[in-house]
């Protein structure tokens, strides 16, 4: 069943699961996926927690205890989500140890309402790292303009980071620069660079969804011929940028001091368009030292019928650039699309967080002990 996943793993792609819930932890399902499906990491986001906690499955006792203590809804969410991340980190600890800290990682996101506040993002990242208190945690910081200096600051304190919501090539270069600046800061403070890890989450399917909608709007044969190509082209050019930055003299000095490369992570790899193959963003983004974080449906589809044929990224840079350049010729603005996607990405996570606040508050009220 998992031959395709093994081949993917053998090609240097770390398979992470883009989902977490208490039921997945307590039922043994996460341990099973690690054991049988080559899963070596877990990512979470506000939408994932909102869905998990709203289902109520496995959370009732903790919520009841929190209600009895009359904690605020924000504190309740932090206690619930960090408990799940801590438990998942413990399950993945053997992978962390076996890969010298590269994998076996669990990501937890800073409050998305802080996405445009550098100082608050840094404070929240420190608090989350302290609360979870596991060496195999990654703190997720969005790649907004305010997020970039926060990334440098947090990496500089020796905290490992998953940079999220990257859509544009320009922003990705800024993210890599922020990471290197953070490592340089950590080095100047005498911190051990080999203990600091990072991934840069470059989003995939949402790029095709937005651009293909616009190509349909243009309606010409030339425009329609570009459908289903932009997300892969964008990601491949991101990997080209990664190769360039991590072969620079600036990087060589950090690597000599023990630093780890910031791996590109392909996020949002569930295919939204039913006309495209459901494993497209797995098969066509195979490259060494990358991560692919998959929703469970994509993981299962990949195990069942993904065709893994080796590296499908390097060697495709010229065509990728041609595919991106072709968008402007039919009247679709790449810059406009990627900025829209970043703005929407932050808004969606904030909306999910607000939904999580509401549903958790309702549960706290429902389970609150009667007075007396």
């Amino acid at each position: 069943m998992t031959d395709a996943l093994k081949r993917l793993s053998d090609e240097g792609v770390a398979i992470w699961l883009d989902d977490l819930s208490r039921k997945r932890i307590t039922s043994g399902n996460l341990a099973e996926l690690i054991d049988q499906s080559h899963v070596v990491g877990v990512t979470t986001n506000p939408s994932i927690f909102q869905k998990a906690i709203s289902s109520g499955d496995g959370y009732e006792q903790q919520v009841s205890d929190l209600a009895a203590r009359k904690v605020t809804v924000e504190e309740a969410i932090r206690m619930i989500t960090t408990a799940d991340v801590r438990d998942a980190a413990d399950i993945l600890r053997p992978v962390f140890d076996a890969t010298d800290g590269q994998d076996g990682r669990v990501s937890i996101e800073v409050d998305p309402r802080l996405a445009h506040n550098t100082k608050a993002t840094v404070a929240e990242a420190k608090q989350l790292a302290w609360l979870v208190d596991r060496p195999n945690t990654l703190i997720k910081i969005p790649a907004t303009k305010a997020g970039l200096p926060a990334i440098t600051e947090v990496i500089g304190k020796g905290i490992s980071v998953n940079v999220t919501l990257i859509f544009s090539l320009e922003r990705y270069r800024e993210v890599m620069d922020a990471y290197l600046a953070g490592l340089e800061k950590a080095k100047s403070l005498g911190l051990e660079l080999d203990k600091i890890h990072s991934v840069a989450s470059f989003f995939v399917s949402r790029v095709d969804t937005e651009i293909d909608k616009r190509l349909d709007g243009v309606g010409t044969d030339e425009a329609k011929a570009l459908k289903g190509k932009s997300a892969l082209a964008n990601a491949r050019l991101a990997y080209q940028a990664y190769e360039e930055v991590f072969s620079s003299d600036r990087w060589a000095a950090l690597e000599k001091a023990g630093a780890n490369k910031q791996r590109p992570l392909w996020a949002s790899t569930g295919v939204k368009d039913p006309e495209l193959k459901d494993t497209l963003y797995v098969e066509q983004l195979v490259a060494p030292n990358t991560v692919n974080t998959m929703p469970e449906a994509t993981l299962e589809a990949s195990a069942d019928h993904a065709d893994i044929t080796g590296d499908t990224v390097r060697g495709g840079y010229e065509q990728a650039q041609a595919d991106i350049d072709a968008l402007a010729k039919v009247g679709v603005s790449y810059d406009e699309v990627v900025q829209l996607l970043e703005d929407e990405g932050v808004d969606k996570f904030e909306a999910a967080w607000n939904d999580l606040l509401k549903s958790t508050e309702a549960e706290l009220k429902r389970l609150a002990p009667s007075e007396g």
Side-chain angles (χ1 to χ4, degrees), residues 81 90 324 365:
T81 56
D90 288 344
I324 294 295
K365 281 179 181 166

Side-chain angles (χ1 to χ4, degrees), residues 24 61 65 82 159 171 191 196 201 214 233 272 301 336:
R24 193 183 286 286
Q61 184 58 60
D65 290 346
T82 55
I159 297 169
R171 185 54 53 85
L191 300 182
I196 304 169
S201 296
R214 294 177 183 224
K272 310 284 195 292
E336 189 183 298

Side-chain angles (χ1 to χ4, degrees), residues 185-204:
K185 203 165 193 173
K187 185 182 174 188
S188 72
L189 294 171
L191 300 182
E192 294 178 82
L193 300 193
D194 62 332
K195 298 284 193 292
I196 304 169
H197 286 261
S198 183
V199 293
S201 296
F202 201 85
F203 278 56
V204 184

Side-chain angles (χ1 to χ4, degrees), residues 240-255:
Q240 183 183 34
Y242 156 79
E243 287 194 305
E244 185 186 308
V245 169
F246 288 98
S247 59
S248 66
D249 290 344
R250 183 185 183 191
W251 166 247
L254 288 164
E255 188 173 40

Side-chain angles (χ1 to χ4, degrees), residues 211-234:
I211 287 180
D212 288 359
K213 181 174 75 178
R214 294 177 183 224
L215 292 171
D216 277 334
V218 174
T220 63
D221 289 345
E222 190 184 3
K224 286 181 179 176
L226 294 171
K227 284 182 69 179
K229 293 181 177 178
S230 302
L232 291 174
N234 200 35

Side-chain angles (χ1 to χ4, degrees), residues 170-363:
E170 182 186 359
R171 185 54 53 85
Y172 178 43
R173 285 184 178 275
E174 291 174 331
V175 165
M176 290 188 283
D177 182 68
Y179 175 60
L180 297 186
L183 288 174
E184 286 160 352
K185 203 165 193 173
K187 185 182 174 188
S188 72
L189 294 171
L191 300 182
E192 294 178 82
L193 300 193
D194 62 332
K195 298 284 193 292
I196 304 169
H197 286 261
S198 183
V199 293
S201 296
F202 201 85
F203 278 56
V204 184
S205 67
R206 293 187 198 181
V207 174
D208 269 344
T209 301
E210 183 60 33
I211 287 180
D212 288 359
K213 181 174 75 178
R214 294 177 183 224
L215 292 171
D216 277 334
V218 174
T220 63
D221 289 345
E222 190 184 3
K224 286 181 179 176
L226 294 171
K227 284 182 69 179
K229 293 181 177 178
S230 302
L232 291 174
N234 200 35
R236 285 169 178 155
L237 292 174
Y239 193 82
Q240 183 183 34
Y242 156 79
E243 287 194 305
E244 185 186 308
V245 169
F246 288 98
S247 59
S248 66
D249 290 344
R250 183 185 183 191
W251 166 247
L254 288 164
E255 188 173 40
K256 196 174 176 185
N260 300 291
K261 289 179 181 177
Q262 181 186 54
R263 288 183 292 172
L265 179 150
W266 311 127
S268 181
T269 54
V271 175
K272 310 284 195 292
D273 185 346
E275 290 181 19
L276 299 174
K277 189 176 178 184
D278 58 358
T279 54
L280 178 71
Y281 304 132
V282 175
E283 297 174 358
Q284 295 301 317
L285 290 175
V286 179
N289 209 36
T290 56
V291 179
N292 194 314
T293 186
M294 307 177 199
E296 191 167 24
T298 305
L299 182 72
E300 289 173 353
S302 298
D304 184 61
H305 54 259
D307 187 16
I308 307 301
T309 57
D311 190 331
T312 49
V313 172
R314 294 181 296 184
Y317 300 149
E318 203 172 312
Q319 184 60 53
Q321 191 62 60
D323 288 342
I324 294 295
D325 291 344
L327 293 172
K329 292 170 189 166
V330 298
V332 174
S333 167
Y334 170 84
D335 290 340
E336 189 183 298
V337 167
V338 292
Q339 186 57 57
L340 173 74
L341 290 172
E342 180 186 307
D343 294 342
E344 281 184 352
V346 173
D347 288 347
K348 281 176 183 172
F349 279 174
E350 194 171 324
W353 193 263
N354 287 328
D355 287 345
L356 178 54
L357 285 167
K358 285 176 199 160
S359 54
T360 304
E361 189 170 34
E363 281 295 280

